[in-house]
Amino acid sequence: MTDTMSSGVDALRAAMDGEVLQPGDPEYDRGALIWNGAIDRSPAVVARCTSAADVAEALRWGQANGLGIAVRGGGHNVAGAAVLEGGLTIDLGPLTDVVVDPVARRARCGGGANLAALDAACQEHGLAVPAGTVSHTGVAGLTLGGGFGWLSPMAGLTIDNLISAEVVLVDGRVVRASAHEYRDLFWALRGGGGNFGVVTEFEFQLHPVGPLVHLGMFFFELDRAEEAIRLGRKFFADSHRNAGGTMIGVNAPPAPFVPEEAHFAPGVALVVAGFGTADEHAALIAPLREAGPLFEFVTPMPYVALQQMLDEGAPWGVHAYTKGLYLDELPDEAIDVVAAALREKPSPMSQLLMFPLGGAFGDVPDEATAFGGRRSAKFAVVVDAIVPDPVMFDREREWARSTWDGLRPFADDASTYVNMMTEFDDDRVRASYGAKYERLALIKTVYDPRNVLRANANIKPA
Ligand SMILES: Cc1cc2nc3c(=O)[nH]c(=O)nc-3n(C[C@H](O)[C@H](O)[C@H](O)COP(=O)(O)OP(=O)(O)OC[C@H]3O[C@@H](n4cnc5c(N)ncnc54)[C@H](O)[C@@H]3O)c2cc1C
């Protein structure tokens, strides 16, 4: 670091209420750490922002000093978008407050909160907003890209429940975007990622959920993978809006509910999260039970526990590579590709998820938000290569790539969920937004004409 920059860092320190950290500072990792251990980048400066004013200072300072600027919400992005080598990370980590208005059924959530904090605060009032399925994911990145999870058939994507957002623009102005103000910005924020400004607060519409919900997990051995996925395809096509779920090609965990001989066994889990009554849930899952899985786990559980159930399968620091696509149908031939890939899956930590879409997700017109994917899609497929250390990583990444290549012919277009991209290559970003890309590029030109915020699935100014 040059002397000029060192003295500049002191100026930023003086201008901000939050800490400004550099490599070697004991607290540096709190703002520079990211979930994906395969990405090794050290920002030169981390600005831990405690307010919109701090964010404005950091944005101004980063631009004045010509540093690449990345924004960190929860640091979970698989592409490591929160850090640039030698750049400035604007870390929203200190902004974790969640304030719930139970009468209006609304929550205001800080731009650095994770899902666990949002869920816990909302559940104190028996409320929730649809979000992801791993609770140590950041609310910000997840929301800005779309956000789907167990509640999506009932209440849509996270962005479908966004009421407003407080945004610090790259020129330092602080604005609130909603259906009434900065409407173009509000549209772009709902799916267009962190391209348009730094969000310091999200306001969400909440729904009554739980506090007890019903889990049904049915695990089928690998020999029955095709049969299990076909069963899941029919089940989710017929299932209700008050149940979410997924099909996961996974190895059984060494959990108390798994018979010892099945620990680590590869197979397919059909997972159902029921938000109705116990009787409704029992009736709903009956066909899965009758199919005779290797083992099942059916239990009521607190909604917050459901939200944390998959946390341990994807801990911080693993080496990960993800590829995704949408399928309008899940034909038998695609199921054969999935089953073959599961039989070749090298790492027991890797997984292949098929999230059924539809329900409230499909109610929202495509043009209503900037979401990068069609609302007519029926499955979001996510191939997650995960290993604990670098040794097996190349092979595992190759598995994810070849599995994706095998499924690609069954996808109607090249769109993918931008939050599940490990490589932000320009063509794939454009393909994901399709016809919306041009509108997003025009909005980018208004709010970030010099493309200051480009450490993301980047929309280029028009
Ligand atoms: C294990 C795992 C499970 C997942 N499960 C799901 C799931 O169930 N459903 C789902 O929808 N997604 C899921 N995801 C994907 C997740 O949505 C993305 O990884 C998302 O980017 C995480 O957001 P973050 O804030 O933690 O990430 P970060 O790495 O902090 O940021 C991600 C991107 O958002 C931008 N950004 C972050 N905060 C802000 C802000 N405040 N203002 C402006 N821009 C900002 C960043 O610049 C970056 O481009 C999962 C990811 C992982 C690794």
Side-chain angles (χ1 to χ4, degrees):
M1 176 171 301
T2 61
D3 285 352
T4 328
M5 189 154 125
S6 299
S7 61
V9 173
D10 287 340
L12 178 61
R13 264 191 199 109
M16 277 182 50
D17 288 330
E19 290 174 294
V20 176
L21 305 167
Q22 294 174 262
D25 287 342
E27 297 289 295
Y28 172 79
D29 269 359
R30 289 184 71 187
L33 198 65
I34 56 168
W35 175 82
N36 189 356
I39 291 172
D40 181 19
R41 291 184 214 132
S42 299
V45 180
V46 174
R48 303 238 325 137
C49 297
T50 59
S51 63
D54 274 1
V55 172
E57 287 297 343
L59 277 168
R60 190 193 54 73
W61 184 87
Q63 291 173 79
N65 285 278
L67 261 71
I69 296 179
V71 182
R72 184 180 185 278
H76 227 263
N77 187 266
V78 68
V83 286
L84 288 169
E85 183 62 37
L88 165 68
T89 286
I90 297 183
D91 176 28
L92 282 289
L95 293 173
T96 55
D97 279 0
V98 182
V99 179
V100 179
D101 177 344
V103 178
R105 290 187 177 159
R106 297 222 171 151
R108 288 182 177 241
C109 172
N114 66 16
L115 303 190
L118 178 61
D119 289 335
C122 295
Q123 276 293 281
E124 276 184 32
H125 307 280
L127 298 168
V129 61
T133 53
V134 169
S135 78
H136 46 71
T137 308
V139 171
L142 176 128
T143 302
L144 294 168
F148 61 77
W150 306 116
L151 287 172
S152 292
M154 182 208 275
L157 292 171
T158 314
I159 48 171
D160 300 333
N161 295 278
L162 186 66
I163 301 288
S164 73
E166 181 186 74
V167 189
V168 185
L169 304 176
V170 291
D171 63 10
R173 278 180 298 152
V174 182
V175 303
R176 186 160 285 273
S178 71
H180 311 291
E181 311 162 81
Y182 294 92
R183 290 167 57 181
D184 54 348
L185 178 61
F186 186 56
W187 179 82
L189 291 175
R190 287 174 293 154
N195 273 288
F196 307 95
V198 181
V199 179
T200 42
E201 185 188 87
F202 297 89
E203 184 187 9
F204 295 114
Q205 181 69 58
L206 307 177
H207 302 265
V209 172
L212 272 189
V213 300
H214 299 278
L215 176 73
M217 201 276 286
F218 303 87
F219 187 92
F220 296 83
E221 53 274 49
L222 201 51
D223 285 353
R224 299 176 66 194
E226 290 88 344
E227 175 199 344
I229 301 169
R230 280 198 292 269
L231 176 68
R233 175 179 65 187
K234 170 151 185 10
F235 174 83
F236 287 113
D238 298 344
S239 87
H240 304 190
R241 284 176 180 238
N242 64 353
T246 186
M247 300 186 256
I248 319 182
V250 70
N251 287 58
F257 61 84
V258 179
E260 213 171 315
E261 60 281 9
H263 285 185
F264 304 109
V268 173
L270 305 184
V271 187
V272 185
F275 302 108
T277 64
D279 287 348
E280 281 165 355
H281 186 63
L284 183 67
I285 62 176
L288 302 182
R289 220 166 214 174
E290 281 158 16
L294 182 62
F295 64 87
E296 64 167 50
F297 184 43
V298 177
T299 180
M301 60 164 55
Y303 174 72
V304 288
L306 171 74
Q307 285 292 90
Q308 293 164 10
M309 184 178 70
L310 303 180
D311 285 7
E312 281 181 23
W316 276 68
V318 289
H319 291 241
Y321 180 88
T322 295
K323 270 183 101 72
L325 46 77
Y326 298 108
L327 296 181
D328 285 9
E329 307 289 338
L330 192 52
D332 285 349
E333 295 77 8
I335 292 177
D336 291 344
V337 171
V338 170
L342 294 179
R343 291 190 178 106
E344 284 162 17
K345 182 169 79 72
S347 163
M349 293 186 85
S350 292
Q351 49 189 9
L352 192 155
L353 299 104
M354 287 158 282
F355 283 97
L357 301 169
F361 168 87
D363 291 346
V364 179
D366 271 322
E367 60 284 2
T369 71
F371 180 62
R374 277 165 298 104
R375 298 288 183 146
S376 55
K378 289 289 176 280
F379 291 94
V381 180
V382 182
V383 190
D384 274 333
I386 304 181
V387 289
D389 59 53
V391 179
M392 288 165 62
F393 189 55
D394 286 350
R395 183 168 162 219
E396 210 63 27
R397 185 174 46 198
E398 201 36 54
W399 170 77
R401 285 180 174 152
S402 61
T403 303
W404 187 89
D405 287 344
L407 286 171
R408 175 68 185 85
F410 302 101
D412 267 33
D413 61 26
S415 68
T416 189
Y417 181 30
V418 291
N419 275 351
M420 301 287 188
M421 276 183 185
T422 317
E423 289 145 328
F424 294 136
D425 91 68
D426 207 30
D427 289 350
R428 303 268 306 136
V429 174
R430 281 172 192 270
S432 295
Y433 289 112
K436 294 177 189 177
Y437 189 92
E438 239 171 86
R439 182 170 171 195
L440 284 165
L442 288 170
I443 299 171
K444 177 83 173 174
T445 312
V446 173
Y447 292 98
D448 183 14
R450 288 186 298 114
N451 204 6
V452 171
L453 299 171
R454 57 179 177 276
N456 45 36
N458 195 228
I459 313 281
K460 308 265 183 289

